[in-house]
Each structure stands twice: as C-alpha cells, then as structure tokens.
Amino acid sequence: MERKHFLRSFAIAAAATPMLLDACKKDSTDTAIDSTGTTTSADTNTGSSACRVTPTEVEGPYPYPGGELKNPLDRSDITGGQTGVPLVLNLLVVNTNDNCNVVQNARVDIWHCSKDGYYSGYGNQNGKSFVGETFLRGYQTTDSKGAVTFTTVYPGWYQGRATHIHFEIFVNNVMKKTAQFAFPENISDAVHTHYGVGVNTTRNANDGILGNSATDLANETPSLTGSIAAGYKGTYTFGIAL
C-alpha cells in the first residue's frame, strides 16, 4: 500500500486528553478491547470538578483549500463516499471562563485522512491527487445545548504521524481553538489491521505534535465505545476560554 510522507514542518505545540466527557469533567478507567476490536470498558466522567481548556495544537496539514471559513460543507455526515469502520463523534463546546457553560452557535470544523491515509482537496500525495474532492471534512454549528455530531469513518494513518483528526472552533467568525485528536492505540491497531494497512509505526507518545506532553496527550485522546463490526462512538468536550 502506498503511503505519503509527512512533508510539512510545524512549530511544535502541546497536545492531548482521553474523555467520555460531561461539561469538562472527567475521571478515567482503562479502556480495553478484545480480539474483535470490541471495547470492554470505557472512561467515565465522575469524580472530578475540573473545568479544562482543551490543549491547543498547530493547524496541521490539509485544511479546507482557501481557509476553513470559506468551507461550504455544512454537514453532519462527512464520509463523502469513503469506506471504513463507522465513527460517530458527539462533541460539546463549553466556555471555561463561564463555569463550563455551553457555547451556542459555535462553528466546529473537522478534517482527517481516509483509511488509506489521504486527504481530500489536495494533490501530490504519493503521486495521487484528490483536488476537487471533499471527503472527510465539513463543519457544524453547536445547538442550544452546545452540541454537534459528526458521522465519519475511523481515520487511517500516514508516515510520520500518529492517527489523528483536526479541529478548529470559531465563535462569531473568530477562531478560538485549534486542536487535534489522538486515538486509543489498542483500538487503532485493531482497526488498521482490519483495514489491511498495518499498525501505525508512529505511536502517540512519539508523535511530533501530540507527543510532547503526556498530560496533554491524555486530554486529547477521546474514549471510544463500540466495535469494528458495529462501529465506534466517541464523546468529547472542547473547553475554550471566551
């Protein structure tokens, strides 16, 4: 299988947090999966009153061509015809300067690579071009409960990066947060083996963007429930300081 090389350099920032979250509150237990990729336990939200700001990361490669605010893809289902293990992300946006009360009408942009490691909208990816395509990217606006949902597929990987998803959050057309998700490696390993692309050789802790802080990495790694057969669901709360 072809792999594109990670050719862009970045100013390295802090990274990451596991969560099935409830308004910035978390308490975690280990998540395990069996040989079929089924989760057998998951993180919980009880026991902590912390109201946390999501770590900021660099934007990274392949945002919407021309800028995210010009992205016309207002949609919850971003699969765009791509195949893979289903992934549903239930996301909440809260204001850490207001006791983590929810933020309505915030715009949440998302983009990530396909199961084979390619981004839509760009050429020069291992000799392949996806210019004009829009798979696995889009945005939603938070509702009265500060929530958005995206339906997608579990990302693949490419050389030099841990498995990840990119996010940006805008309030009143002003970008307030740039973030990246990591993924639980035991689940990623099972999914990528299922995809036939092999285990990602760049582990979360060794990633040049996500791996600089173990605390941040923990705070940017959402917990997932589900299985390869049924798909996965994840819940994460973005804490932004307004």
Side-chain angles (χ1 to χ4, degrees):
M1 191 202 76
E2 290 183 324
R3 289 275 176 222
K4 67 176 179 295
H5 293 278
F6 185 60
L7 298 176
R8 303 180 60 158
S9 60
F10 301 103
I12 294 180
T17 184
M19 302 181 184
L20 265 178
L21 275 180
D22 177 17
C24 278
K25 301 173 183 174
K26 88 173 182 71
D27 184 13
S28 64
T29 62
D30 289 339
T31 299
I33 58 173
D34 62 24
S35 61
T36 66
T38 301
T39 53
T40 57
S41 63
D43 288 3
T44 61
N45 311 327
T46 59
S48 174
S49 60
C51 185
R52 294 178 174 85
V53 175
T54 295
T56 295
E57 294 296 347
V58 296
E59 182 180 59
Y62 309 115
Y64 189 82
E68 292 305 301
L69 284 177
K70 296 181 180 180
N71 184 346
L73 304 172
D74 181 355
R75 58 189 186 181
S76 179
D77 187 339
I78 66 169
T79 53
Q82 294 296 298
T83 60
V85 174
L87 174 64
V88 175
L89 295 173
N90 296 305
L91 308 175
L92 190 68
V93 180
V94 300
N95 182 2
T96 59
N97 285 340
D98 185 25
N99 298 313
C100 271
N101 285 317
V102 301
V103 180
Q104 301 178 31
N105 299 315
R107 171 179 167 145
V108 180
D109 285 79
I110 179 175
W111 68 98
H112 66 85
C113 71
S114 69
K115 70 180 182 65
D116 297 312
Y118 299 111
Y119 287 88
S120 66
Y122 288 82
N124 300 319
Q125 299 179 68
N126 246 11
K128 296 177 182 277
S129 176
F130 300 93
V131 173
E133 299 191 44
T134 61
F135 57 80
L136 305 179
R137 60 173 75 245
Y139 75 90
Q140 285 280 282
T141 303
T142 57
D143 61 17
S144 61
K145 297 180 180 179
V148 296
T149 296
F150 289 103
T151 300
T152 185
V153 297
Y154 203 101
W157 61 274
Y158 51 93
Q159 185 173 337
R161 284 301 316 273
T163 306
H164 63 283
I165 290 182
H166 302 264
F167 293 93
E168 288 181 345
I169 299 174
F170 297 84
V171 178
N172 296 324
N173 290 329
V174 177
M175 189 170 67
K176 296 296 184 179
K177 177 61 60 176
T178 303
Q180 296 187 32
F181 276 177
F183 282 85
E185 287 176 334
N186 54 351
I187 296 179
S188 290
D189 291 349
V191 171
H192 295 150
T193 299
H194 171 76
Y195 282 165
V197 300
V199 170
N200 191 344
T201 54
T202 301
R203 312 308 282 174
N204 291 342
N206 296 326
D207 184 83
I209 293 172
L210 297 171
N212 286 0
S213 164
T215 299
D216 284 350
L217 179 60
N219 290 331
E220 282 182 340
T221 308
S223 294
L224 303 178
T225 60
S227 67
I228 288 174
Y232 290 96
K233 292 184 179 180
T235 304
Y236 185 89
T237 296
F238 286 103
I240 61 176
L242 299 179

